[in-house]
Amino acid sequence: MTAPSLDVPPGPGFVATIAAVTAVQKPSDGLAVAQLLITHPGPRRQNETVETVEDGMRRLATALHLGPGEQEPPVIGGKLMIRRGFAALDYGHDRYVMTIPSPSQDWLALVGAGGACRICLVFAPLAVGADQAETDAHLRASFERGQVRWGTTYARRRF
């Protein structure tokens, strides 16, 4: 069996297993930036391997038009949808979007007001129970291996 093309977004079954976490970065210049970290906990479904998970994450990064982590993040257009306290990400599938579970209220307020959101996607699996130190170490190692993609998006005005 051959792997699907990177030009084809992953299906809803794969996307449903992705982990997404929101945060707001408040740098010293006072311009808050919403953040969305997208990871995968690793193989959990039948016939899933670390390689197929990483392939799915690469396909998701390609569908979102994310750029390499070592370069300035590209602006990828309005990919977020906010409505009544719920958030979703348009990842390029023609029928489905990715829900963002439990976004923080400050993240919703910032994105809902038109603020920028930095998406950071990591190819290599990250365990669901990873604490902050483990997540930081995983991000640093993934960045050093060129396994991070990112981009800047915002909420669509209508959906």
Side-chain angles (χ1 to χ4, degrees):
M1 182 175 156
T2 61
S5 166
L6 284 178
D7 294 335
V8 177
F14 178 81
V15 172
T17 63
I18 289 174
V21 179
T22 63
V24 174
Q25 180 183 18
K26 298 176 184 170
S28 59
D29 64 9
L31 298 174
V33 177
Q35 297 183 343
L36 177 62
L37 174 62
I38 300 174
T39 62
H40 195 287
R44 299 170 78 182
R45 300 181 308 161
Q46 187 175 1
N47 298 325
E48 207 168 45
T49 65
V50 170
E51 292 77 20
T52 62
V53 166
E54 289 184 8
D55 177 69
M57 295 301 279
R58 287 179 194 282
R59 290 173 45 217
L60 181 59
T62 299
L64 287 168
H65 307 289
L66 301 177
E70 64 273 3
Q71 296 177 7
E72 188 69 25
V75 176
I76 61 171
K79 304 284 185 184
L80 293 169
M81 297 170 278
I82 308 293
R83 188 168 186 186
R84 297 184 183 151
F86 294 96
L89 177 67
D90 177 352
Y91 69 96
H93 195 282
D94 60 352
R95 293 180 56 198
Y96 299 98
V97 295
M98 183 180 108
T99 58
I100 300 169
S102 306
S104 67
Q105 291 302 310
D106 57 341
W107 187 90
L108 283 169
L110 180 58
V111 172
C117 177
R118 181 76 35 85
I119 296 175
C120 179
L121 182 145
V122 180
F123 298 150
L126 174 65
V128 172
D131 63 18
Q132 187 65 48
E134 292 167 323
T135 300
D136 289 347
H138 182 74
L139 284 171
R140 288 184 212 292
S142 294
F143 180 78
E144 289 171 6
R145 291 190 306 268
Q147 294 185 318
V148 173
R149 298 293 181 268
W150 66 345
T152 302
T153 188
Y154 48 87
R156 293 179 179 171
R157 291 293 172 209
R158 291 185 164 179
F159 65 95

